[in-house]
Amino acid sequence: MNDVNAIARLLKPRSVAVIGASGDAAKTAGRPVAYLRKHGFTGDIYPVNPRAEAIGGLRCYPDIASIPGTPDVGIVLLGAERAHQAVRELAAKGTAAAIVLASGYTETGEEGARRQRQLIEAAGRMRILGPNTIGLVNLTDNIVLSASGALEMDHFPVGGISVVSQSGGILGALLSRAAPRGIGLSKLISTSNEVDLELADFVDHLADDPDTKVIALYVEGVRNPAKFRAAALKAAHAGKPVVAFKIGRSEAGAKAAVSHTGALAGADSMYDALFRQVGVIRAQTFGDLLDIPVALATGRKLRGKRIAILTSTGGAGTLVSDDLGMQGFETPAPDAATAAALRALQRGDHAVLDRNPIDVTLAGLQPDLLRGAIEVLLKSPSYDALAIIVGSSSLAMPELMAGAIEDCLPHSDKPVIAYVSPHAPEVDALLTQRGVPAFAAAESCTAALGAMLKAGQWQAPAPAGVASEWVSIDDLPSGSLDEAVAKQLFTRFGVDCARERVVETPPEAEAAARELGGRVVLKILSGEITHKSDVGGVAVNLTPETVGDRLQAMASDVEAKAGVRPQRFLVQEMVGGGTELILGVHHDVLGTAILLGMGGVTAELFKDTSMRLLPPQGGLDREEAIGMARELKTWPLLDGFRGRAKADVEALATAIVAFSQMAAQLGDRLVEAEINPLFVLPEGQGVRAADGVVVLAG
């Protein structure tokens, strides 16, 4: 049996064996059989328990071998010390997949890890969900393979949102939150320890599932980045947005590193880069993990940032408008034709229909007026989406209000959302079930619209990286390279560096300064001391007349602070009139990333960065390089901010591409590399790498 068929049978089995089933529905071991029957499973159920003859009116079997035929799925309720025995017997019977609920595996230490290895060996070709899982729920087909207490509820709305979680408890949390809000779910799967089946396996499968429109993920960590990348891109190409809530955002960044890049490119930033590149929308709060998918599940496209707000309660309208504005959305007043069409609906009242929020408070929120105003705003060329404030005046007739809004939906493909104020969960549920995602917080409206905008703007990356000519690097030593050698490496790959000379004595420094002309910079040259400024190892704005004396003073200063007297120095042309950036490479379990950010000594203070993961082969392309620059908060400094000369962004893109190709060719041999600062000069004048760090493995 291939993997696709095994996962399909796991999610939609015709028969289920429950190993270790209990007749007491109040116990965890009693829930799976009780829930299968309660929620309408129509296939065969085989309880297995040698101490019971029947459970819930079903014949109970003494062991797995006694089960007639081959169950598609086995739910294993035995403890960790015995679960592998049941798994082995199910595999021998030809079962497609086993769900192992027991804890006591890798999460408990070495003995648990041994048990987990034992489990996978026992499974052979059979697939395993878990262990330490709460199971899965297929609401579309009334199949509940879980022991979650949330399934005590009698009814769950069915819809197009599927959830894959690496935490079992989150399944119940989402089920119990979605139902009262009228949010329809399809499949919910807890992967937990992922001894076999993992997050990416289910994303891949759900991308082909006709009942799934949006995939929501609760992520602790991606175990196989290449598989996850392929699955997420498959979902994106299938038109199924993936929304991820990733915990661990407060993790310390990379381990102690010699470069600024290591401190700036923490694990969480790597996830941001991965998600951005494969089209995954990141949920910033746990609440977003429902709010964003329910908006995306409507399938409506947000093509711009202009939002019309239709309100019958002024304060709530302003609240939504203010929060939208904080996140870069616009709430422009209606154009003349739209304002005239709105005024024509007033019938002598004095509602404020020619500004935004569009306030119909004085007119009284009548269904006909509401319907007319919605139709006008959806047709208006001034707006890309509509947010309707459902205030207290509408609570007396929620069905009429919901019906009036629903009637207008077929006339436009623009997004329509609702903010319900005051708190009225039943109205939220009513609107959501009618196709209008309803929210109880202004921030949720903004998060939903922001995600819809991202989903509409995302473009698939180029299928392969940009290859470059092979550059000879056989002569390079291992370990931490000194700055001069590091910059020679950058130059080989096509990154322009500042002109400089290596010197040892004051007379040599004076000669170098005269040769370079103009003002110069003096630096110690050391592979061991990376942050030269911290030990007094950098002096700027020197002349041929002053550089010799400064060299002697610098040698003494550095010896006093670092305990080692430098023997070699760099005299470098002073680069001015440019914008200082940092360009670095960072490795972690997700892959290799290129980082671009505001540079200089304040790089770690401001943390204004953008990152891209390298593709499986080759470096970044120019479009990605320019995209990185545009994502920086300090992009305006490169783009002619307040009359400043525009920077040479084309040369910057060339440098980023060249640097990324260096990282791609060196691969694992490149432990760290960084240019800080990289001066981006005015348009037409190029870039200059003014300092560099490289650490090479042996």
Side-chain angles (χ1 to χ4, degrees):
M1 179 193 313
N2 64 39
D3 291 348
V4 174
N5 287 341
I7 295 174
R9 285 172 64 185
L10 172 63
L11 290 171
K12 195 175 178 181
R14 295 156 299 183
S15 55
V16 179
V18 184
I19 320 304
S22 168
D24 185 352
K27 293 181 177 178
T28 299
R31 288 175 180 170
V33 169
Y35 290 163
L36 278 163
R37 304 190 74 192
K38 173 181 178 177
H39 292 288
F41 180 62
T42 57
D44 295 319
I45 305 172
Y46 303 117
V48 175
N49 187 331
R51 295 187 297 277
E53 292 189 3
I55 289 179
L58 297 170
R59 178 185 170 186
C60 195
Y61 297 87
D63 51 44
I64 292 168
S66 306
I67 297 172
T70 300
D72 281 338
V73 172
I75 303 177
V76 179
L77 300 168
L78 307 178
E81 67 285 348
R82 290 194 299 143
H84 68 281
Q85 297 168 0
V87 165
R88 183 173 285 109
E89 292 172 34
L90 286 166
K93 211 161 175 58
T95 298
I99 302 172
V100 181
L101 273 68
S103 56
Y105 291 92
T106 49
E107 76 278 7
T108 63
E110 184 48 45
E111 176 59 21
R114 184 193 64 77
R115 288 197 191 109
Q116 195 152 300
R117 290 192 296 271
Q118 194 177 37
L119 198 65
I120 197 67
E121 288 164 10
R125 294 181 60 195
M126 182 179 71
R127 308 310 304 265
I128 294 181
L129 178 63
N132 194 26
T133 176
I134 202 71
L136 69 87
V137 180
N138 175 351
L139 293 176
T140 306
D141 299 297
N142 302 312
I143 298 168
V144 171
L145 307 175
S146 174
S148 172
L151 291 158
E152 292 292 340
M153 293 178 66
D154 292 326
H155 173 71
F156 298 97
V158 177
I161 301 168
S162 287
V163 179
V164 189
S165 169
Q166 290 179 317
S167 165
I170 296 302
L171 233 67
L174 291 173
L175 264 172
S176 59
R177 284 168 169 79
R181 289 184 57 187
I183 297 174
L185 304 177
S186 179
K187 320 295 191 294
L188 295 96
I189 304 143
S190 160
T191 60
S192 297
N193 285 29
E194 296 186 347
V195 69
D196 173 24
L197 290 169
E198 61 181 274
L199 208 66
D201 292 306
F202 291 104
V203 174
D204 180 89
H205 183 84
L206 293 168
D208 294 324
D209 177 29
D211 299 311
T212 297
K213 294 180 180 177
V214 181
I215 302 168
L217 306 178
Y218 183 93
V219 182
E220 294 173 351
V222 170
R223 294 169 195 249
N224 187 327
K227 186 195 279 190
F228 179 85
R229 180 192 285 259
L233 286 172
K234 179 181 176 182
H237 289 306
K240 299 188 179 183
V242 179
V243 180
F245 179 68
K246 165 71 176 66
I247 60 166
R249 287 179 294 178
S250 60
E251 263 175 65
K255 300 168 188 164
V258 301
S259 64
H260 292 286
T261 302
L264 291 168
D268 196 60
S269 298
M270 292 289 283
Y271 274 98
D272 271 339
L274 173 62
F275 290 160
R276 184 187 300 113
Q277 284 175 263
V278 297
V280 172
I281 295 167
R282 186 160 186 178
Q284 296 302 317
T285 68
F286 182 59
D288 288 347
L289 196 53
L290 281 178
D291 291 339
I292 291 173
V294 74
L296 294 172
T298 64
R300 291 173 174 261
K301 307 295 183 188
L302 182 56
R303 297 180 175 89
K305 295 184 174 183
R306 303 166 306 164
I307 313 298
I309 301 172
L310 182 61
T311 182
S312 62
T313 170
T318 304
L319 195 64
V320 172
S321 176
D322 189 53
D323 198 73
L324 286 169
M326 290 294 290
Q327 299 303 320
F329 283 96
E330 302 163 15
T331 52
D335 59 88
T338 300
L342 289 169
R343 282 195 297 272
L345 300 170
Q346 288 192 62
R347 300 175 187 169
D349 292 306
H350 299 285
V352 184
L353 300 181
D354 55 359
R355 67 188 65 167
N356 193 8
I358 297 127
D359 194 339
V360 293
T361 305
L362 295 176
L365 193 56
Q366 300 302 316
D368 286 347
L369 174 62
L370 178 67
R371 191 180 287 108
I374 291 171
E375 289 183 352
V376 168
L377 293 170
L378 289 178
K379 287 177 185 173
S380 171
S382 293
Y383 301 114
D384 302 300
L386 172 61
I388 300 171
I389 313 299
V390 179
S392 53
S393 59
S394 65
L395 300 187
M397 45 180 178
E399 288 281 353
L400 279 174
M401 303 312 297
I405 299 169
E406 184 184 18
D407 289 346
C408 302
L409 295 181
H411 303 155
S412 171
D413 65 351
K414 293 179 182 178
V416 179
I417 65 169
Y419 171 47
V420 179
S421 175
H423 185 59
E426 66 287 352
V427 178
D428 290 356
L430 178 64
L431 287 163
T432 299
Q433 287 281 284
R434 298 283 187 94
V436 182
F439 305 103
E443 296 80 4
S444 299
C445 297
T446 304
L449 289 169
M452 295 178 92
L453 190 63
K454 283 182 184 174
Q457 292 177 338
W458 183 78
Q459 292 181 327
V466 177
S468 63
E469 291 184 16
W470 193 261
V471 175
S472 175
I473 51 172
D474 295 339
D475 59 321
L476 292 175
S478 58
S480 182
L481 308 187
D482 68 39
E483 181 185 338
V485 178
K487 285 191 284 193
Q488 287 167 18
L489 175 61
F490 301 150
T491 301
R492 290 186 198 186
F493 280 89
V495 179
D496 291 333
C497 296
R499 294 181 302 131
E500 61 193 22
R501 301 290 182 267
V502 178
V503 301
E504 295 183 5
T505 65
E508 289 177 1
E510 292 163 7
R514 279 192 293 272
E515 182 188 348
L516 292 171
R519 302 277 171 164
V520 295
V521 179
L522 178 69
K523 305 177 188 178
I524 59 170
L525 190 55
S526 167
E528 288 71 46
I529 302 174
T530 307
H531 300 307
K532 297 179 281 290
S533 297
D534 295 349
V535 295
V538 179
V540 301
N541 210 26
L542 301 175
T543 65
E545 292 73 32
T546 60
V547 70
D549 290 343
R550 191 69 189 85
L551 184 149
Q552 288 183 309
M554 182 178 288
S556 300
D557 291 346
V558 171
E559 184 176 20
K561 291 181 180 178
V564 57
R565 189 173 184 87
Q567 300 299 315
R568 301 166 73 231
F569 300 81
L570 267 184
V571 176
Q572 183 184 90
E573 68 172 331
M574 228 179 118
V575 182
T579 302
E580 293 185 44
L581 298 183
I582 180 172
L583 181 59
V585 62
H586 179 71
H587 302 287
D588 85 352
V589 292
L590 292 183
T592 298
I594 302 301
L595 176 143
L596 180 72
M598 176 192 279
V601 294
T602 58
E604 287 178 46
L605 178 64
F606 293 112
K607 295 185 177 178
D608 178 19
T609 62
S610 174
M611 290 174 68
R612 290 290 187 281
L613 284 165
L614 288 181
Q617 290 88 33
L620 303 177
D621 63 26
R622 292 187 69 81
E623 188 175 341
E624 288 176 302
I626 292 173
M628 291 176 74
R630 286 182 173 276
E631 283 170 13
L632 297 176
K633 297 184 189 75
T634 43
W635 162 251
L637 294 178
L638 297 168
D639 196 39
F641 181 68
R642 291 196 170 180
R644 182 187 177 107
K646 285 199 172 191
D648 200 334
V649 175
E650 289 300 321
L652 172 61
T654 299
I656 295 170
V657 170
F659 189 83
S660 73
Q661 288 169 341
M662 177 192 73
Q665 180 181 322
L666 285 167
D668 292 339
R669 193 182 170 200
L670 186 63
V671 179
E672 292 192 61
E674 175 181 284
I675 301 170
N676 182 30
L678 176 69
F679 282 96
V680 187
L681 303 176
E683 221 164 16
Q685 296 180 34
V687 301
R688 299 289 185 277
D691 201 347
V693 172
V694 173
V695 181
L696 295 177

